[in-house]
Amino acid sequence: MAEHNSYDVIIVGAGSMGMSAGYYLARRGVKTLLIDAFDPPHTQGSHHGETRLIRHAYSGDPAYIDLALRADRLWKEAEQLSGIELLVRSGVLNLADSAVYSFSGRLAEAKIRKVPVQQLDAGEIRRRWPGLNIPETFAAMYEPDAGYLYSERCITAYRQLALGQGAELLTNTSVVNITARESSVTVHTTNGDYHGASAILSAGAWFGALAPFVHLPIKAIRKVVGWFESSPAFAAGNFPGFTLGAEEGGYYGFPSIAGAGLKIGRHDTGLEWKPGTLLAPFGSEASDEQDLRRVLETYMPGAAGRLLKGSVCKYEYTPDEDFIIDRHPLHSNVLVAGGFSGHGFKFSSVVGEILADLATSGATNHNIQPFALSRFTPDHSQAGLILEGI
């Protein structure tokens, strides 16, 4: 085994989760190699497009709130260590038609976990943010301590920090196969073979390209976002990040930052995408702009100006939209982290910490039980997960 190609841990996929894990491993003195098919940050994954929301008041499993709060602390630490501004506490305004969605579960969990939230009716929403055209049936949950992350900067910061701690990064290198034994993993790439005692697979929407070594119940979906000319009422400093649930669907967005226009995307719907196929550019589907513009014209008319820019990225959905953080069904020295289902970026700092925990000590103090692969099999065994199509 060639010494210069040998590592303690090899990370396949150096996007948000992988780059973070690379830093937390290298910081612990672990000899780490990160491999990416592109040169992160890049536009071929799920981390581009300038911004991602960070919020803390989740419903569902309480693990999400605990992880979001820890992730927030780690983002601030990465910001201080790298000298790069990563997190803006703009607040996040969660809007919903009461006929479509109720905030009761999230409000209850926030109270238990002492996450600051404010419950607002339609009149209060319109008073605080006059640019909104909100019907009386709407209500909101406002998180004053939430905000947004500069997503590409986050990758850049963790890349800088990981390399500064001695991690190695192999860019523009595709993985063609992976083989694993009890105490070793070999990653076969277009630039040669690399050997590790263990591996972390964090390939995002590209997990399909790692078959047949691993099959995860993940479906990659094409998503679009647009930036629209908007009035000063929607400028950063005047308007928060937001989510919106209505009969038209589920949407999310950001204020106009430095005049770039209000950014909005749709969380639900989308076309399936397969690794290796063309990702159709923004505007290829008539609905790309129409869906976004219809919602703006209805609820945020002052942000329904001309389209300034459009972009496409990918979500990686699991059947239940909860994450996958677990060991490979057949190889205990291979970790898998994927299926972040369009709400994972904010957690990537703490997911990196979790993966470093698991790779170095075999356990983590964070609750990752909700993200076990076994939940997808009827008997809660993992054996069936290596089969195609699950």
Side-chain angles (χ1 to χ4, degrees), residues 53 55-57 91-97 101 103 106 117-118 120 125 129 138-143 146 240-245 251:
L53 292 177
R55 54 188 181 82
H56 313 112
V92 172
L93 178 64
N94 302 276
L95 298 158
D97 187 333
Y101 180 81
F103 292 109
R106 286 166 67 181
V117 291
Q118 300 168 12
L120 307 175
I125 295 166
W129 296 282
F138 269 60
M141 182 186 73
Y142 179 61
E143 298 184 60
F242 66 91
T243 66
L244 188 149
Y251 293 80

Short mmCIF file of all heavy atoms in Angstrom, two decimals, residues 53 55-57 91-97 101 103 106 117-118 120 125 129 138-143 146 240-245 251:
data_model
loop_
_atom_site.label_atom_id
_atom_site.label_comp_id
_atom_site.label_asym_id
_atom_site.label_seq_id
_atom_site.Cartn_x
_atom_site.Cartn_y
_atom_site.Cartn_z
N LEU A 53 -31.26 29.43 4.77
CA LEU A 53 -31.85 29.80 6.05
C LEU A 53 -31.24 28.99 7.18
O LEU A 53 -30.89 27.82 7.01
CB LEU A 53 -33.36 29.55 6.04
CG LEU A 53 -34.22 30.43 5.13
CD1 LEU A 53 -35.67 29.99 5.20
CD2 LEU A 53 -34.09 31.91 5.51
N ARG A 55 -32.63 28.29 11.00
CA ARG A 55 -33.70 28.50 11.98
C ARG A 55 -33.59 27.39 13.00
O ARG A 55 -32.94 26.37 12.77
CB ARG A 55 -35.07 28.52 11.30
CG ARG A 55 -35.35 27.30 10.43
CD ARG A 55 -36.63 27.44 9.61
NE ARG A 55 -36.88 26.24 8.81
CZ ARG A 55 -37.44 25.14 9.27
NH1 ARG A 55 -37.81 25.07 10.55
NH2 ARG A 55 -37.64 24.08 8.50
N HIS A 56 -34.24 27.57 14.13
CA HIS A 56 -34.05 26.65 15.25
C HIS A 56 -35.32 25.95 15.71
O HIS A 56 -35.25 24.90 16.33
CB HIS A 56 -33.44 27.41 16.43
CG HIS A 56 -32.28 28.27 16.06
ND1 HIS A 56 -32.32 29.65 16.10
CD2 HIS A 56 -31.03 27.96 15.61
CE1 HIS A 56 -31.16 30.14 15.71
NE2 HIS A 56 -30.36 29.14 15.40
N ALA A 57 -36.48 26.54 15.46
CA ALA A 57 -37.75 26.00 15.97
C ALA A 57 -38.32 24.98 15.00
O ALA A 57 -39.06 25.31 14.08
CB ALA A 57 -38.75 27.14 16.20
N GLY A 91 -33.43 37.39 11.43
CA GLY A 91 -34.73 36.88 11.82
C GLY A 91 -35.31 36.06 10.68
O GLY A 91 -34.93 36.24 9.51
N VAL A 92 -36.19 35.12 11.01
CA VAL A 92 -36.91 34.35 10.00
C VAL A 92 -38.40 34.40 10.33
O VAL A 92 -38.82 34.06 11.43
CB VAL A 92 -36.42 32.89 9.92
CG1 VAL A 92 -37.33 32.07 9.00
CG2 VAL A 92 -34.98 32.83 9.40
N LEU A 93 -39.18 34.86 9.35
CA LEU A 93 -40.63 34.97 9.47
C LEU A 93 -41.27 33.78 8.77
O LEU A 93 -41.20 33.65 7.55
CB LEU A 93 -41.10 36.28 8.84
CG LEU A 93 -42.61 36.54 8.85
CD1 LEU A 93 -43.12 36.68 10.29
CD2 LEU A 93 -42.94 37.79 8.04
N ASN A 94 -41.89 32.90 9.55
CA ASN A 94 -42.57 31.73 9.02
C ASN A 94 -44.05 32.06 8.87
O ASN A 94 -44.75 32.22 9.87
CB ASN A 94 -42.37 30.53 9.95
CG ASN A 94 -40.91 30.20 10.15
OD1 ASN A 94 -40.29 29.51 9.36
ND2 ASN A 94 -40.33 30.72 11.24
N LEU A 95 -44.51 32.17 7.65
CA LEU A 95 -45.88 32.56 7.34
C LEU A 95 -46.68 31.34 6.86
O LEU A 95 -46.14 30.52 6.12
CB LEU A 95 -45.90 33.60 6.22
CG LEU A 95 -45.23 34.94 6.48
CD1 LEU A 95 -44.87 35.60 5.16
CD2 LEU A 95 -46.15 35.83 7.31
N ALA A 96 -47.93 31.26 7.25
CA ALA A 96 -48.76 30.15 6.75
C ALA A 96 -50.23 30.49 6.82
O ALA A 96 -50.69 31.16 7.76
CB ALA A 96 -48.48 28.88 7.54
N ASP A 97 -50.95 30.01 5.84
CA ASP A 97 -52.41 30.04 5.87
C ASP A 97 -52.84 28.99 6.90
O ASP A 97 -52.47 27.82 6.80
CB ASP A 97 -52.96 29.71 4.49
CG ASP A 97 -54.47 29.88 4.38
OD1 ASP A 97 -55.15 29.76 5.42
OD2 ASP A 97 -54.96 30.12 3.27
N TYR A 101 -51.59 25.01 7.27
CA TYR A 101 -50.53 24.59 8.19
C TYR A 101 -50.71 25.26 9.55
O TYR A 101 -51.12 26.42 9.62
CB TYR A 101 -49.16 24.96 7.61
CG TYR A 101 -47.98 24.58 8.48
CD1 TYR A 101 -47.49 23.28 8.48
CD2 TYR A 101 -47.37 25.52 9.32
CE1 TYR A 101 -46.42 22.92 9.29
CE2 TYR A 101 -46.30 25.17 10.12
CZ TYR A 101 -45.83 23.87 10.10
OH TYR A 101 -44.77 23.52 10.90
N PHE A 103 -48.70 26.12 13.27
CA PHE A 103 -47.39 26.23 13.93
C PHE A 103 -47.40 25.62 15.34
O PHE A 103 -46.40 25.70 16.04
CB PHE A 103 -46.97 27.70 14.04
CG PHE A 103 -46.66 28.33 12.72
CD1 PHE A 103 -47.51 29.28 12.18
CD2 PHE A 103 -45.51 27.98 12.03
CE1 PHE A 103 -47.22 29.88 10.95
CE2 PHE A 103 -45.22 28.56 10.80
CZ PHE A 103 -46.07 29.50 10.26
N ARG A 106 -44.43 23.29 16.41
CA ARG A 106 -43.14 23.99 16.49
C ARG A 106 -43.11 24.96 17.66
O ARG A 106 -42.07 25.11 18.32
CB ARG A 106 -42.85 24.70 15.16
CG ARG A 106 -42.46 23.73 14.06
CD ARG A 106 -42.50 24.36 12.69
NE ARG A 106 -41.48 25.39 12.51
CZ ARG A 106 -41.34 26.10 11.40
NH1 ARG A 106 -42.17 25.90 10.38
NH2 ARG A 106 -40.40 27.01 11.30
N VAL A 117 -39.39 32.62 20.18
CA VAL A 117 -40.31 32.71 19.04
C VAL A 117 -41.42 33.68 19.40
O VAL A 117 -41.75 33.87 20.58
CB VAL A 117 -40.92 31.34 18.66
CG1 VAL A 117 -39.87 30.41 18.07
CG2 VAL A 117 -41.62 30.69 19.84
N GLN A 118 -42.01 34.27 18.38
CA GLN A 118 -43.14 35.17 18.56
C GLN A 118 -44.28 34.70 17.66
O GLN A 118 -44.08 34.45 16.48
CB GLN A 118 -42.75 36.60 18.18
CG GLN A 118 -41.60 37.16 19.02
CD GLN A 118 -41.03 38.45 18.44
OE1 GLN A 118 -41.61 39.05 17.53
NE2 GLN A 118 -39.88 38.87 18.95
N LEU A 120 -47.65 35.57 15.77
CA LEU A 120 -48.23 36.80 15.22
C LEU A 120 -49.49 36.50 14.42
O LEU A 120 -49.56 35.50 13.70
CB LEU A 120 -47.22 37.50 14.30
CG LEU A 120 -45.82 37.77 14.87
CD1 LEU A 120 -44.93 38.35 13.79
CD2 LEU A 120 -45.89 38.70 16.07
N ILE A 125 -48.56 41.02 11.51
CA ILE A 125 -47.63 40.76 10.40
C ILE A 125 -47.59 41.96 9.46
O ILE A 125 -46.53 42.46 9.09
CB ILE A 125 -48.06 39.49 9.63
CG1 ILE A 125 -47.95 38.25 10.52
CG2 ILE A 125 -47.18 39.31 8.38
CD1 ILE A 125 -48.68 37.04 9.95
N TRP A 129 -44.35 44.40 8.82
CA TRP A 129 -43.73 44.31 7.48
C TRP A 129 -44.78 44.76 6.46
O TRP A 129 -45.49 43.96 5.86
CB TRP A 129 -43.26 42.89 7.20
CG TRP A 129 -42.18 42.47 8.16
CD1 TRP A 129 -40.86 42.81 8.10
CD2 TRP A 129 -42.32 41.65 9.33
NE1 TRP A 129 -40.16 42.27 9.16
CE2 TRP A 129 -41.03 41.54 9.93
CE3 TRP A 129 -43.39 40.99 9.94
CZ2 TRP A 129 -40.81 40.81 11.10
CZ3 TRP A 129 -43.18 40.26 11.10
CH2 TRP A 129 -41.90 40.18 11.66
N PHE A 138 -54.12 34.12 7.65
CA PHE A 138 -52.71 33.80 7.86
C PHE A 138 -52.27 34.06 9.30
O PHE A 138 -52.82 34.93 9.99
CB PHE A 138 -51.83 34.65 6.92
CG PHE A 138 -51.55 33.99 5.60
CD1 PHE A 138 -52.58 33.66 4.75
CD2 PHE A 138 -50.26 33.70 5.20
CE1 PHE A 138 -52.34 33.05 3.52
CE2 PHE A 138 -50.00 33.11 3.99
CZ PHE A 138 -51.04 32.77 3.14
N ALA A 139 -51.28 33.30 9.73
CA ALA A 139 -50.61 33.52 11.01
C ALA A 139 -49.12 33.34 10.77
O ALA A 139 -48.69 32.90 9.70
CB ALA A 139 -51.11 32.53 12.06
N ALA A 140 -48.31 33.69 11.78
CA ALA A 140 -46.87 33.58 11.61
C ALA A 140 -46.20 33.17 12.91
O ALA A 140 -46.72 33.42 14.01
CB ALA A 140 -46.28 34.90 11.12
N MET A 141 -45.04 32.58 12.78
CA MET A 141 -44.13 32.32 13.88
C MET A 141 -42.81 32.98 13.49
O MET A 141 -42.19 32.62 12.50
CB MET A 141 -43.92 30.82 14.09
CG MET A 141 -43.00 30.51 15.26
SD MET A 141 -42.63 28.72 15.40
CE MET A 141 -41.50 28.52 14.02
N TYR A 142 -42.43 33.98 14.26
CA TYR A 142 -41.21 34.74 13.97
C TYR A 142 -40.10 34.32 14.91
O TYR A 142 -40.29 34.25 16.13
CB TYR A 142 -41.48 36.24 14.11
CG TYR A 142 -40.27 37.11 13.83
CD1 TYR A 142 -39.65 37.10 12.59
CD2 TYR A 142 -39.73 37.93 14.83
CE1 TYR A 142 -38.53 37.89 12.34
CE2 TYR A 142 -38.62 38.73 14.58
CZ TYR A 142 -38.01 38.69 13.33
OH TYR A 142 -36.91 39.47 13.08
N GLU A 143 -38.94 34.01 14.35
CA GLU A 143 -37.76 33.63 15.13
C GLU A 143 -36.73 34.77 15.05
O GLU A 143 -36.01 34.89 14.05
CB GLU A 143 -37.14 32.35 14.59
CG GLU A 143 -38.02 31.14 14.66
CD GLU A 143 -37.29 29.89 14.18
OE1 GLU A 143 -36.26 29.53 14.78
OE2 GLU A 143 -37.74 29.30 13.18
N ALA A 146 -32.99 33.73 14.41
CA ALA A 146 -32.68 32.98 13.20
C ALA A 146 -32.15 33.93 12.12
O ALA A 146 -32.02 35.13 12.33
CB ALA A 146 -33.92 32.24 12.72
N PRO A 240 -36.91 40.11 6.87
CA PRO A 240 -36.19 38.93 7.32
C PRO A 240 -36.15 37.84 6.25
O PRO A 240 -36.76 37.96 5.18
CB PRO A 240 -37.03 38.47 8.51
CG PRO A 240 -38.43 38.84 8.12
CD PRO A 240 -38.31 40.13 7.32
N GLY A 241 -35.44 36.76 6.54
CA GLY A 241 -35.65 35.54 5.79
C GLY A 241 -37.07 35.06 6.05
O GLY A 241 -37.70 35.44 7.04
N PHE A 242 -37.59 34.19 5.17
CA PHE A 242 -38.98 33.80 5.35
C PHE A 242 -39.25 32.40 4.80
O PHE A 242 -38.53 31.88 3.95
CB PHE A 242 -39.92 34.81 4.68
CG PHE A 242 -39.82 34.86 3.17
CD1 PHE A 242 -40.63 34.05 2.37
CD2 PHE A 242 -38.92 35.71 2.54
CE1 PHE A 242 -40.54 34.09 0.98
CE2 PHE A 242 -38.82 35.76 1.16
CZ PHE A 242 -39.63 34.95 0.37
N THR A 243 -40.32 31.80 5.33
CA THR A 243 -40.96 30.64 4.72
C THR A 243 -42.42 30.98 4.56
O THR A 243 -42.96 31.82 5.29
CB THR A 243 -40.80 29.37 5.58
OG1 THR A 243 -41.54 29.52 6.80
CG2 THR A 243 -39.34 29.09 5.90
N LEU A 244 -43.08 30.33 3.61
CA LEU A 244 -44.48 30.63 3.34
C LEU A 244 -45.19 29.35 2.92
O LEU A 244 -44.77 28.69 1.97
CB LEU A 244 -44.60 31.70 2.25
CG LEU A 244 -46.00 32.27 1.97
CD1 LEU A 244 -45.92 33.72 1.53
CD2 LEU A 244 -46.73 31.44 0.90
N GLY A 245 -46.24 29.00 3.65
CA GLY A 245 -47.06 27.85 3.31
C GLY A 245 -48.47 28.30 2.98
O GLY A 245 -49.14 28.93 3.81
N TYR A 251 -42.95 27.69 0.13
CA TYR A 251 -41.90 28.55 -0.43
C TYR A 251 -40.97 29.04 0.69
O TYR A 251 -41.32 29.00 1.88
CB TYR A 251 -42.52 29.75 -1.16
CG TYR A 251 -43.28 29.35 -2.40
CD1 TYR A 251 -44.58 28.84 -2.31
CD2 TYR A 251 -42.71 29.47 -3.66
CE1 TYR A 251 -45.27 28.44 -3.45
CE2 TYR A 251 -43.40 29.09 -4.80
CZ TYR A 251 -44.68 28.57 -4.69
OH TYR A 251 -45.35 28.18 -5.81
#
